[in-house]
Amino acid sequence: MRIADAEHAAAPRGAGPRGEERVRPRLTAAIALGKATATLSRALGWGGGTTVPGRVARVVEPNVVALLSARLRLGSVVVAGTNGKTTTAHLLAHIMRARGRSPVHNRAGANLAAGIASALVAHADVLGRPRGDLGIFEVDEATVPRVVPAIAPRTAVFLNLFRDQLDRYGEIDAIAGLWRSGGAGWARDLGVVANADDPLVADAVRDLPGRLVPFGIEDERHGRPALEHTAEARYCYRCGTAYVYTVTYFGHMGRWRCPGCGAARPEPEFTACDLAPLAPDGSEFAIRERETGGVARVRTVLPGLYNVYNVLAAVAAARSLGVPLDAAAAAVASFAPAFGRAERVLVDGREVRLLLVKNPAGFNEVLRVVLSEGPLPVVLIAINDRTADGRDVSWLWDVDAEMLVGRATRAVVTGLRAGDMALRLHYAGLPRDAIEVEPAYDHALRRALDLAAGGRLYVLPTYTAMLALRAVLQRWGVVRGFWET
Amino acid sequence: MTPVLRICHLYPDLLNLYGDRGNIMVLAQRARWRGVDVAIVEVTLGGTAPSDADLYFLGGGEDRQQRIAADDLAARQGGPLTDAAAAGAVVLGVCGGYQLLGRFYRPAGGGDLPGVGLLDLWTEHPGAGSPRLIGNLVVQPAGDGPALIGFENHGGRTYLGPGARPLGRVVSGFGNNGRDGGEGAVAARVYGTYLHGPLLPKNPVFADRLIREAMERRYPGCELAPLPEVLEEQARASVLTRTGRPAGA
Ligand SMILES: [Zn+2]
């Protein structure tokens, strides 16, 4: 891999004396109005203003994203994919901060154009001068082709594609098509950091310009021989032949090839090997870089194989920005989980661990992590069906909830669709009287803490249920607000 | 001798888009909880469905998967499925599986997918510019019984011929085509619907009706003991509340 010496590089987009520092009255008005909206939103208790300020600013200056991101001296990185965007973007920001950079990034989950605009507005002064030198933006899968021409990233990270929120996106094919169709908006010197183990990603990025930097896991001891039934990529997206996997790691991620057309997993540039899972407290592994032959050991508190992919992606992206491999790996060790993604909270000395669930493959991995230390007295599951969660809860039936049978004594379920989760657990084999439906978030949390009897309590919420539970924890004074994190 | 319910699940690896396997779990568990043994046969590409199952199930798939399944279904399963239905077996198709039980599916770009013609209906995709019909769906079944509750997400619009009746009337949502107020189709014991969520967990009365009809042939007069339905009622109430209907409707 060619590594630009970007750690000290000037802006990659021919910036410099291009007049960015020129005062643009409309941009100034957009920023001022956006900032005022954010302040107002907070004052009125509407939340952190993670999207509204951007929406307001874009009305005044539709090019606000392009104008402000062009002023970031080291350019931008976008992170896309169904699972792990927030964790990967935060990891990369953490690594870059450790290198003395000052990244601008959007808030967890605020990954549509308005969320990115909000972040840029919040990190600029009214003249449009950025307080930061590098953009790191998580971007919604379907928003990729819309924001990429504006941001003109130097590196794009593609993590995975799962059937997630199909009611919003239609079908998974459509997303892969959108990424490919974004082709014209991509810079020719783009670094395409892509998951080699996901055939959908490999197919979706194959026509993108730039240089491909594939990453993948190579440690068959931690593989599974067969595809899980949640796996979406059973049949080749080019020719319709069933893929052949010699090993799978997580969902449809693994060593794949198509016997029909010959498509196959690209040879990874960055490989995770020699894995030692420390679940639920993290994992340890080696990252190997093919071109340089470099190897670095990594230790992370992030649990599960899905987080091995996130760490690999963040390290590969950091390398594309010129960070030495051992420095990137070392920075990973001091990373604390982001907002609901394996986040730890103490309530009166008792540990609560929040593990976001969004789709069957991720839910299954989370279940493997929480059950890795043996039987539990209770788990708390919180399912909502708002837009950000996916309005269709039928995916719960693709979760292997059977894993909990005999290994969790009770389940407390809450959220708008607690009833659906309760039914899923019952049909999985949990007795009716082991399932407690508690619609109120605070009561559910209290009840689950009581049942945990001083032990660690695992909480598995969908996105907006996580926000609601965090709001309870905030009222109890044990976590800070959304916009302060 | 313990009675046995024989279920044939067609293309579980292709037609599995919306938690469809939940329907099989519900049929199997509700039968087992009544002391009925359950035998499940999965048939996939290149296989042939048995003609002596009591209940056949087809779920929904993405366009690409549905096309692969449609060709195989028409070429290999049309015969056994038609024979079984004629002999009184229950056939249930959901979403894409529902469309394939009809005469044909016409994608926006042409190139019809063949159906098996067990239901007198056809489906057309009105074009890339037309919105998918997505959201919670509440249906009042023809005849009697509690509302059928679920979620729909389909681009195709389905139109019934004279040989099929709608499964029910749309109370909230779109249904077959968003225009004529009909949802699903039924002819004898062949059922099709756009309701997923999946369909059966939140509609236990309908699930039991299918089990009873499937078993009646070989076990005439079979009775299914009632089961507690507290969780089902809670789950139903949450959808009815979300669609602005009072709980218990
Ligand atoms: Zn192929």
Side-chain angles (χ1 to χ4, degrees):
Chain A
M1 155 180 196
R2 283 174 292 117
I3 307 278
D5 183 20
E7 277 215 281
H8 311 285
R13 302 175 58 199
R18 201 172 67 173
E20 274 90 354
E21 300 299 313
R22 181 158 62 90
V23 175
R24 293 170 174 265
R26 205 163 53 171
L27 180 61
T28 295
I31 294 168
L33 207 56
K35 283 180 179 296
T37 311
T39 307
L40 190 67
S41 166
R42 235 163 293 179
L44 295 175
W46 290 350
T50 53
T51 59
V52 182
R55 222 174 288 154
V56 168
R58 287 174 79 220
V59 170
V60 180
E61 171 53 88
N63 293 324
V64 66
V65 169
L67 290 170
L68 290 181
S69 61
R71 296 177 182 194
L72 294 165
R73 200 170 51 84
L74 300 174
S76 292
V77 178
V78 296
V79 181
T82 316
N83 278 350
K85 284 189 290 288
T86 300
T87 297
T88 303
H90 279 69
L91 261 169
L92 179 59
H94 179 79
I95 295 169
M96 297 315 290
R97 243 177 247 122
R99 300 300 293 170
R101 302 290 151 227
S102 111
V104 172
H105 60 89
N106 46 345
R107 295 295 184 200
N111 50 32
L112 305 177
I116 294 164
S118 294
L120 285 162
V121 165
H123 286 86
D125 66 15
V126 284
L127 297 178
R129 290 176 302 210
R131 281 196 294 269
D133 49 20
L134 172 68
I136 298 175
F137 302 110
E138 61 163 286
V139 182
D140 175 86
E141 294 76 80
T143 303
V144 165
R146 254 172 291 155
V147 302
V148 156
I151 296 176
R154 51 189 301 195
T155 299
V157 181
F158 296 97
L159 294 168
N160 48 57
L161 273 175
F162 286 90
R163 281 178 191 166
D164 190 34
Q165 308 180 357
L166 282 166
D167 53 301
R168 235 173 85 205
Y169 297 148
E171 298 179 339
I172 201 163
D173 264 5
I175 301 297
L178 278 173
W179 289 4
R180 280 196 296 266
S181 72
W186 300 105
R188 267 194 306 267
D189 59 351
L190 179 75
V192 180
V193 175
N195 192 334
D197 291 351
D198 183 340
L200 297 179
V201 166
D203 190 51
V205 304
R206 77 188 134 101
D207 293 332
L208 293 182
R211 78 200 130 75
L212 183 63
V213 183
F215 63 89
I217 295 179
E218 283 181 10
D219 192 334
E220 314 229 329
R221 293 172 306 152
H222 298 285
R224 299 183 191 101
L227 267 184
E228 295 184 282
H229 60 81
T230 58
E232 14 279 284
R234 291 164 188 278
Y235 294 88
C236 177
Y237 274 68
R238 290 190 221 181
C239 75
T241 310
Y243 288 125
V244 174
Y245 281 84
T246 52
V247 62
T248 67
Y249 295 107
F250 158 48
H252 59 281
M253 244 112 298
R255 185 182 282 277
W256 58 274
R257 69 184 170 80
C258 169
C261 67
R265 170 182 185 260
E267 194 60 40
E269 179 58 37
F270 290 90
T271 309
C273 48
D274 197 11
L275 256 71
L278 313 166
D281 295 310
S283 56
E284 212 181 295
F285 53 95
I287 296 182
R288 218 173 38 214
E289 183 172 347
R290 187 168 57 147
E291 193 176 295
T292 62
V295 179
R297 274 210 84 72
V298 184
R299 197 190 167 117
T300 174
V301 295
L302 297 167
L305 283 175
Y306 57 105
N307 275 313
V308 172
Y309 283 111
N310 296 335
V311 169
L312 256 180
V315 168
R319 288 289 293 130
S320 81
L321 299 174
V323 177
L325 180 62
D326 51 358
V332 168
S334 58
F335 176 77
F339 201 59
R341 280 86 177 168
E343 187 183 15
R344 303 167 76 144
V345 176
L346 285 177
V347 180
D348 306 331
R350 293 173 294 178
E351 185 185 341
V352 173
R353 190 139 341 158
L354 295 160
L355 292 127
L356 188 70
V357 294
K358 305 202 313 183
N359 46 31
F363 204 138
N364 286 347
E365 282 305 305
V366 163
L367 286 176
R368 286 190 187 100
V369 165
V370 308
L371 294 169
S372 60
E373 285 187 314
L376 296 170
V378 63
V379 290
L380 172 58
I381 305 176
I383 306 296
N384 277 358
D385 66 347
R386 298 191 197 280
T387 304
D389 306 295
R391 289 183 299 143
D392 184 357
V393 295
S394 44
W395 63 275
L396 296 175
W397 292 81
D398 285 324
V399 174
D400 288 328
E402 287 75 8
M403 275 190 260
L404 288 166
V405 178
R407 299 208 271 168
T409 311
R410 299 187 91 72
V412 177
V413 291
T414 187
L416 296 167
R417 300 302 289 259
D420 287 81
M421 190 66 225
L423 272 182
R424 175 68 191 98
L425 293 172
H426 181 47
Y427 277 101
L430 244 65
R432 275 179 199 256
D433 58 12
I435 304 163
E436 298 187 19
V437 179
E438 180 47 78
Y441 298 109
D442 51 348
H443 293 176
L445 207 43
R446 275 279 171 237
R447 175 69 182 146
L449 277 165
D450 287 347
L451 289 167
R456 182 189 278 165
L457 171 65
Y458 288 103
V459 181
L460 281 48
T462 60
Y463 185 71
T464 71
M466 188 263 293
L467 297 185
L469 286 163
R470 263 183 129 267
V472 171
L473 292 168
Q474 198 191 335
R475 278 204 304 280
W476 293 355
V478 295
V479 294
R480 289 186 301 163
F482 189 11
W483 51 92
E484 300 161 53
T485 56
Chain B
M1 216 179 80
T2 313
V4 182
L5 173 66
R6 296 176 301 197
I7 298 173
C8 174
H9 189 180
L10 287 150
Y11 310 108
D13 60 337
L14 282 165
L15 303 179
N16 60 0
L17 190 50
Y18 302 115
D20 287 315
R21 71 187 190 125
N23 292 312
I24 301 290
M25 288 178 198
V26 168
L27 292 168
Q29 289 285 55
R30 296 186 76 81
R32 288 189 190 115
W33 289 335
R34 271 74 169 249
V36 175
D37 277 351
V38 178
I40 300 170
V41 177
E42 296 190 343
V43 176
T44 191
L45 289 183
T48 304
S51 56
D52 64 345
D54 305 311
L55 190 150
Y56 295 79
F57 175 73
L58 290 115
E62 294 178 63
D63 290 350
R64 181 185 307 261
Q65 275 85 346
Q66 185 163 340
R67 180 169 283 281
I68 298 171
D71 292 334
D72 195 80
L73 181 77
R76 307 183 62 91
Q77 324 300 359
L81 220 47
T82 307
D83 292 348
V90 171
V91 181
L92 172 64
V94 172
C95 203
Y98 167 36
Q99 295 167 347
L100 295 180
L101 291 178
R103 299 208 303 263
F104 61 85
Y105 175 87
R106 180 160 296 158
D112 288 5
L113 269 67
V116 289
L118 282 175
L119 288 169
D120 180 18
L121 56 87
W122 69 95
T123 305
E124 295 175 7
H125 195 294
S130 322
R132 290 179 73 84
L133 305 181
I134 301 177
N136 288 305
L137 176 59
V138 180
V139 175
Q140 188 54 50
D144 217 7
L148 295 168
I149 288 170
F151 198 92
E152 64 184 318
N153 184 349
H154 51 107
R157 271 66 165 173
T158 295
Y159 301 94
L160 272 52
R165 294 173 285 119
L167 187 59
R169 309 295 304 166
V170 173
V171 177
S172 173
F174 298 101
N176 282 337
N177 48 51
R179 287 216 295 261
D180 65 19
E183 156 49 29
V186 55
R189 287 175 175 171
V190 181
Y191 298 88
T193 179
Y194 278 118
L195 282 157
H196 67 257
L199 167 69
L200 297 179
K202 283 196 292 292
N203 296 295
V205 173
F206 187 67
D208 284 353
R209 169 175 157 189
L210 297 180
I211 295 171
R212 208 178 304 107
E213 288 185 358
M215 298 199 57
E216 216 160 43
R217 232 176 1 148
R218 290 185 300 121
Y219 308 96
C222 80
E223 288 288 328
L224 299 175
L227 295 170
E229 270 158 31
V230 183
L231 299 179
E232 283 80 356
E233 283 311 320
Q234 279 171 328
R236 288 172 64 82
S238 65
V239 180
L240 292 169
T241 309
R242 303 291 274 148
T243 56
R245 305 271 147 196

